[in-house]
Amino acid sequence: MLAKVKSTRVDSAYDRLKDEILQGVLPPGYQAPEPDIASRLGMSRTPVREALIRLEAEGLIDLIPRRGARVVAISQKDFREIFEILAVLEGLAANAAARVDVPSDPLHDIRQVLEEGETALRAKDISAWAQLDDTFHRLVAGLSGNDRLHSEICGLLDQVFRANSVLLRLNNAPAARDTTHYKIVDAIVAGEAERAAELANAHRLSGLKTMDNLLANSGLSHV
């Protein structure tokens, strides 16, 4: 029972801190000692320490001896590396998804996300679109049926979500149009594995080009 309570507290601390990092409440470069973070969450240090270790493993924070935790900022080099890896992994995921019989419920969820994305674009709500775009990529990764691949992709998406949102708001436009999203889904449903992989790979690299230019033109060295 005690172990279960501890696990619940760690998960709670982890979820709260991760959400605040991804949403920019704790901005890049934010740094605080562990006791201050625990006090801020109204929790003891033990679950907070374990949550911070998990967040460091995911590349969201750096733990600095005797100085606490610092939220990691994303540089242009980081963007390029992460997007290039995502292009390969998401291509693999789309290929795998096209080779299995995908249940109707996940496909329904994906199509609903795409429709909501179109609504957000018409309303010029770029923040909402960025969240839906992130959800789309996570759902497609899940269709692969490969849990490790899905986990790796989601971890990389976590690392760039906050920076993506900031740069897209500056651009006031999406990194890539949703028409490509529909084409990826259509290829998966049709069982066209190679085409699905090519579309997913090219889509991510197209997004890299846009985000690379946005960061270069923003005057910011990190986001």
Side-chain angles (χ1 to χ4, degrees):
M1 179 64 72
L2 291 176
K4 184 176 181 180
V5 171
K6 179 183 176 183
S7 176
T8 300
R9 289 174 178 168
V10 172
D11 289 343
S12 177
Y14 167 82
D15 289 341
R16 288 176 62 184
L17 288 169
K18 183 173 183 176
D19 183 66
E20 290 186 348
I21 291 170
L22 296 184
Q23 298 301 325
V25 176
L26 299 180
Y30 170 86
Q31 183 174 326
E34 186 180 294
D36 289 2
I37 297 173
S39 176
R40 184 175 179 276
L41 295 179
M43 302 178 72
S44 64
R45 292 178 61 178
T46 299
V48 170
R49 182 182 304 116
E50 294 189 26
L52 291 172
I53 291 171
R54 286 171 61 180
L55 292 168
E56 182 182 45
E58 294 178 5
L60 295 176
I61 68 166
D62 285 328
L63 291 176
I64 306 170
R66 297 181 297 280
R67 294 189 179 183
R70 180 176 60 208
V71 177
V72 171
I74 300 295
S75 68
Q76 192 162 27
K77 181 175 182 291
D78 295 327
F79 255 115
R80 290 171 181 164
E81 291 178 351
I82 293 171
F83 270 56
E84 287 170 356
I85 296 170
L86 276 172
V88 175
L89 296 185
E90 289 180 326
L92 287 174
N95 183 295
R99 295 178 184 275
V100 300
D101 186 14
V102 178
S104 59
D105 286 349
L107 288 173
H108 172 76
D109 292 342
I110 288 176
R111 290 194 170 103
Q112 185 173 351
V113 166
L114 292 178
E115 291 174 4
E116 291 175 3
E118 290 182 347
T119 299
L121 283 181
R122 286 194 293 270
K124 298 183 179 180
D125 188 345
I126 301 304
S127 293
W129 183 88
Q131 180 69 67
L132 291 162
D133 177 73
D134 177 79
T135 300
F136 169 82
H137 287 281
R138 292 173 192 270
L139 289 173
V140 170
L143 294 182
S144 69
N146 185 322
D147 292 339
R148 288 179 175 79
L149 180 58
H150 182 212
S151 179
E152 288 294 330
I153 289 172
C154 288
L156 292 169
L157 290 173
D158 282 343
Q159 291 185 41
V160 297
F161 175 79
R162 180 198 63 230
N164 270 347
S165 298
V166 170
L167 291 174
L168 291 175
R169 285 197 297 271
L170 289 175
N171 189 46
N172 199 32
R177 303 300 296 184
D178 277 344
T179 53
T180 307
H181 288 170
Y182 283 105
K183 291 177 182 177
I184 293 170
V185 174
D186 288 344
I188 289 172
V189 172
E192 299 174 353
E194 291 185 8
R195 175 167 169 74
E198 290 171 359
L199 286 167
N201 182 278
H203 176 64
R204 180 57 67 181
L205 293 179
S206 175
L208 169 58
K209 185 179 295 185
T210 299
M211 304 307 286
D212 202 30
N213 290 335
L214 284 175
L215 184 55
N217 295 330
S218 69
L220 302 172
S221 59
H222 297 75
V223 183

